[in-house]
Amino acid sequence: MRRWLRNAALDAVRTASGLAALALGVVGAFPETVSACSVCFSAKNEENQIAYLASTGFLTFLPLLLVGALLLWVRKRTQDTEQPRSPDHS
Amino acid sequence: MQLSYVSDGPDKVVDIRGRMPAARRRQVAPNGVIGTLLFVMAEVMLFAGFISAHAVAKTTALSGWPPPNQPRLPVEETAVNTAALLLSGAALAYAYRVYLRDVRRARVPFLIALLLGCFFVAFQGVEWLSLLREGLTVTSSTHGAFFYLIVGCHALHAVAALIVLALQYRQLLLDRLSPGAFAGAQVFWFFVVGMWPVLYWKVYF
């Protein structure tokens, strides 16, 4: 049961990754002007455009950074707690 | 499907067929800390959204930032308040270190952290009153709207954290404060303390 669930989850991840790569390829092959892009169309001056770009980057990478930091911290804590105890404690 | 293992206490799983320890499952961190960290991550994104919107609005302002007819924000006074908040964070960190060795000795630094936090919020209240008198309101300009939104949201978090700390101080006096609860509250207070210098830099300058 557990193995079946793990295989199903792996299949789902593989399918999703394949679809995402395909979509990215299609979009990349036929570039068009993105009218909804605030960086390209809403910016009134250069300073404003830089602010748009910086906030886009900031909001894109901050959650990844937060989740990554949490995972690293949990990994470190796990390694610390899994270290073998001294013989007198066993 | 037959159940073979049951939990026997917070940190171990026992094989009920032979009543022998099957595997040791140690806690990586207190649940309170993990839960608070996840909450803090969501709150960081909320403030990130505010800061980004503020940065974009600031560069869009045609008449300069802050607008000419609006009062300037009290940068110097707030620097003193920022120092008080940072000291409060340091005092709480020290209280936790002491608490792990001797619970009773943690009371004084904990109280200092709590009082400095209260001072920060009270000082902000006085600052707001003077700014309101000078004409900076939520509707007076985009500058005013962002100021009260961002700083007000932070103050709301600070008040919530202070309520938690006050309740925990009571538990500490009764010797009933658990390390997990203390660590969880500490994480939230560190978020309030750590977020403030960023907001101060982005909003006041």
Side-chain angles (χ1 to χ4, degrees), chain B:
Chain B
M1 202 166 76
Q2 197 183 355
L3 181 68
S4 299
Y5 299 98
V6 293
S7 172
D8 188 18
D11 67 346
K12 62 180 179 181
V13 175
V14 167
D15 182 350
I16 57 169
R17 291 169 300 189
R19 298 299 298 173
M20 292 289 286
R24 293 195 70 81
R25 187 165 57 87
R26 294 198 197 107
Q27 203 173 31
V28 171
N31 291 341
V33 173
I34 298 283
T36 313
L37 276 172
L38 291 173
F39 176 68
V40 161
M41 280 164 65
E43 295 304 283
V44 166
M45 287 315 298
L46 172 78
F47 280 102
F50 286 160
I51 290 169
S52 298
H54 177 264
V56 169
K58 197 174 172 180
T59 53
T60 320
L62 298 171
S63 54
W65 192 273
N69 57 343
Q70 290 284 282
R72 297 291 173 271
L73 298 175
V75 176
E76 294 83 13
E77 292 91 328
T78 310
V80 176
N81 212 17
T82 304
L85 190 65
L86 291 173
L87 274 175
S88 167
L92 195 69
Y94 178 70
Y96 186 69
R97 277 185 63 186
V98 172
Y99 167 86
L100 294 176
R101 291 195 303 267
D102 182 358
V103 175
R104 281 168 192 264
R105 277 186 56 215
R107 287 174 182 174
V108 174
F110 196 112
L111 184 64
I112 290 171
L114 187 61
L115 291 176
L116 281 169
C118 290
F119 170 80
F120 172 80
V121 173
F123 196 98
Q124 286 252 301
V126 173
E127 195 178 82
W128 276 35
L129 284 175
S130 95
L131 284 170
L132 283 167
R133 261 187 245 113
E134 287 174 36
L136 186 75
T137 66
V138 180
T139 51
S140 65
S141 65
T142 319
H143 175 239
F146 268 113
F147 173 76
Y148 288 111
L149 176 72
I150 297 173
V151 179
C153 196
H154 180 268
L156 207 64
H157 282 78
V159 169
L162 284 172
I163 291 170
V164 173
L165 287 180
L167 292 171
Q168 291 209 338
Y169 182 65
R170 191 171 162 270
Q171 296 287 314
L172 185 68
L173 291 178
L174 298 168
D175 283 339
R176 279 192 288 181
L177 180 61
S178 71
F182 193 162
Q186 192 183 221
V187 168
F188 191 54
W189 189 242
F190 284 168
F191 156 69
V192 170
V193 172
M195 183 54 75
W196 178 251
V198 180
L199 298 181
Y200 174 56
W201 169 52
K202 297 302 291 182
V203 176
Y204 282 73
F205 291 94

Side-chain angles (χ1 to χ4, degrees), chain A residues 53-69, chain B residues 45:
Chain A
L53 276 169
S55 60
T56 304
F58 180 56
L59 291 174
T60 304
F61 292 110
L62 186 62
L64 299 174
L65 202 74
L66 288 170
V67 173
Chain B
M45 287 315 298

